[in-house]
Amino acid sequence: MANEDLGRALRRLRRLASLTQEELAERSGVSVDVIRQLEQGRKHSARLPTLHALANGLGVELTTLLGDPPAVSASGENDGPRFVAVRRAIMPVLWGPEPEPPGPDFSLERLREQIADGWTQYHAAEFDTVMKALPDLISDARTVTASTRDEDRRAGYAALGKALQLAGHVAVRMGKTDLALTSLERAIQAAEQSSEPLLVPMIVNSTAWTYQRQGRLEDALSIAVRAAAGIADAETADGLKVWGALIMSAATSAARSGDYERAASMMETAEKEAARVVKLPDGGDHRMVSVFSPSSVRIERVRLAVQYGRPHDALALAKGMRLSKDTPPSWRTWLLLDVARAHTDTGDAAGAVKTLESLRRVAPTWMQHHTLAVAIVRDVWALPNHPPGLRPLAEFLGIAE
């Protein structure tokens, strides 16, 4: 996000929340003078703790305040042909032809494997690759829903649900949350016609995350809690993973709404239950199931500690962490970003730069898709003394001045 966009974003979000500058100042703890200077363009940047306080006061994620990732437009006006094809796949043309059953050479197992590969690519931030594959994945899944055999038809709806869920996630990453919700709602409709009971709550979790991105924290919390209650007695590893992911999502929404005690209680329950995952029967392909493990719980605890304004606690939680092998690159990215953010909040600019250098080595594409990375680097760039390694990071993100 360009510096000059911060003031406009702040003013727009404040008005959407029906807040005066004085009310936002009271909610966020940021002075009215700073808010006025930002909105009027007399102040073009703010330190990360200030930005986070403003986001909390507005009830939105920090990334919502900071804007879209570098080189990503949320307007839809500059969508390339690849994303237009994804839109058409999510929302087929009105009065278009009904899907026909698949031919004799079609392999449902191959389609499932391709969808699972799409999730792996998504977690590796290979969004262009995923967008290229999504239209065919969705189209192929729709053909299976036209099968004459009931078992195949239900399997087709399950595949369609996972493909549309993946499309929803990609749409969020492209800054298009309304399109994401459309895709996820259609994914739920497909999942309801499948024979996989965990699919609906999995997609509900994605919907809760999308609500969070839109600042709809109460909505996100309510649907996550309701979906988790429906599978609270899970007796398989997959069931526990879906339940645990929903509980963590609910905790995040509670924390961002200011209910830190409820969030902490939820995370404590999640951490206790996460240890049971390896002791339960494994359902199969982990790529198609929600992420939930002791590692993911600890990563979320680090994130919440940063959001609580407890950077020292966050660094203590992150110190010496050993992530499980099935921790996706996206989750590793969030951990490193939050650690860098905690270093920044404690005044350790060198520590923040060192952490971001690690992130650039292990997940350079993810780094370019996170406005938080831009915010941290810009925050450190504003300091009079630049730590070693800062300029290459600033140049990599296109913000060196």
Side-chain angles (χ1 to χ4, degrees), residues 52-380:
H52 182 65
L54 288 170
N56 276 345
L58 292 165
V60 301
E61 285 195 352
L62 180 59
T63 49
T64 304
L65 175 61
L66 295 178
D68 298 313
V72 172
S73 170
S75 66
E77 298 175 358
N78 299 320
D79 288 350
R82 189 155 291 173
F83 200 82
V84 170
V86 174
R87 284 183 183 276
R88 292 186 67 191
I90 293 171
M91 300 179 290
V93 62
L94 186 64
W95 301 315
E98 293 294 323
E100 297 183 359
D105 296 332
F106 178 82
S107 170
L108 181 57
E109 286 303 316
R110 184 168 64 246
L111 174 61
R112 287 173 175 150
E113 182 65 23
Q114 290 170 336
I115 294 173
D117 286 343
W119 280 101
T120 298
Q121 291 158 355
Y122 167 81
H123 284 298
E126 297 174 12
F127 301 128
D128 196 55
T129 302
V130 179
M131 283 193 289
K132 181 179 179 180
L134 269 172
D136 286 340
L137 294 179
I138 295 172
S139 176
D140 288 347
R142 282 202 173 104
T143 66
V144 189
T145 66
S147 298
T148 55
R149 292 180 67 242
D150 184 65
E151 182 180 354
D152 290 344
R153 188 166 57 254
R154 288 182 177 277
Y157 278 116
L160 180 59
K162 286 303 293 184
L164 286 170
Q165 182 190 18
L166 177 59
H169 277 243
V170 171
V172 170
R173 290 299 173 193
M174 295 298 104
K176 298 165 175 60
T177 54
D178 286 336
L179 176 64
L181 288 176
T182 297
S183 191
L184 293 170
E185 287 170 2
R186 296 185 181 202
I188 289 174
Q189 292 170 1
E192 289 173 339
Q193 299 181 69
S194 76
S195 56
E196 297 188 15
L198 293 176
L199 190 49
V200 168
M202 271 194 280
I203 301 170
V204 168
N205 195 27
S206 299
T207 306
W209 172 57
T210 309
Y211 283 165
Q212 289 174 3
R213 302 282 294 197
Q214 293 187 329
R216 297 170 58 179
L217 301 178
E218 184 176 342
D219 293 338
L221 175 61
S222 65
I223 66 169
V225 169
R226 178 174 176 175
I231 54 171
D233 298 324
E235 297 180 354
T236 65
D238 285 356
L240 183 55
K241 287 178 181 179
V242 175
W243 174 87
L246 284 162
I247 292 299
M248 288 201 300
S249 180
T252 300
S253 297
R256 289 175 183 158
S257 299
D259 193 347
Y260 300 138
E261 290 186 5
R262 186 177 186 185
S265 176
M266 287 178 173
M267 290 304 297
E268 183 179 341
T269 300
E271 188 162 33
K272 184 185 301 181
E273 293 297 311
R276 296 177 51 230
V277 170
V278 297
K279 302 175 183 178
L280 294 174
D282 193 349
D285 195 337
H286 67 86
R287 296 174 296 174
M288 300 283 271
V289 184
S290 302
V291 177
F292 181 67
S293 66
S295 295
S296 68
V297 175
R298 180 60 64 89
I299 290 171
E300 193 66 21
R301 285 188 63 194
V302 171
R303 178 181 300 181
L304 293 181
V306 173
Q307 292 173 347
Y308 290 172
R310 301 174 183 174
H312 293 287
D313 290 348
L315 294 173
L317 286 166
K319 187 175 182 180
M321 277 185 64
R322 291 186 178 181
L323 301 180
S324 57
K325 293 181 180 179
D326 62 348
T327 303
S330 54
W331 284 74
R332 296 173 186 268
T333 297
W334 298 331
L335 173 63
L336 288 171
L337 280 171
D338 282 325
V339 170
R341 185 165 143 193
H343 280 303
T344 305
D345 289 352
T346 61
D348 182 7
V353 169
K354 185 177 180 180
T355 303
L356 289 177
E357 286 177 326
S358 297
L359 176 57
R360 183 180 177 182
R361 285 194 298 270
V362 302
T365 307
W366 263 121
M367 185 174 181
Q368 290 182 310
H369 277 274
H370 266 285
T371 50
L372 181 55
V374 175
I376 294 170
V377 172
R378 181 171 287 129
D379 201 27
V380 178

Side-chain angles (χ1 to χ4, degrees), residues 1-3 45 373-383 399 401:
M1 181 198 72
N3 274 343
S45 64
V374 175
I376 294 170
V377 172
R378 181 171 287 129
D379 201 27
V380 178
W381 189 263
L383 299 175
I399 58 175
E401 298 175 358

Side-chain angles (χ1 to χ4, degrees), residues 14-80:
R14 177 178 60 77
R15 289 175 175 174
L16 283 173
S18 300
L19 296 173
T20 65
Q21 292 177 334
E22 290 76 13
E23 288 169 337
L24 176 56
E26 183 177 351
R27 284 193 180 193
S28 64
V30 177
S31 72
V32 175
D33 186 54
V34 168
I35 293 172
R36 285 175 180 159
Q37 289 184 51
L38 287 169
E39 290 192 1
Q40 293 171 4
R42 292 185 287 124
K43 183 179 177 67
H44 298 298
S45 64
R47 291 187 59 80
L48 197 55
T50 300
L51 294 173
H52 182 65
L54 288 170
N56 276 345
L58 292 165
V60 301
E61 285 195 352
L62 180 59
T63 49
T64 304
L65 175 61
L66 295 178
D68 298 313
V72 172
S73 170
S75 66
E77 298 175 358
N78 299 320
D79 288 350

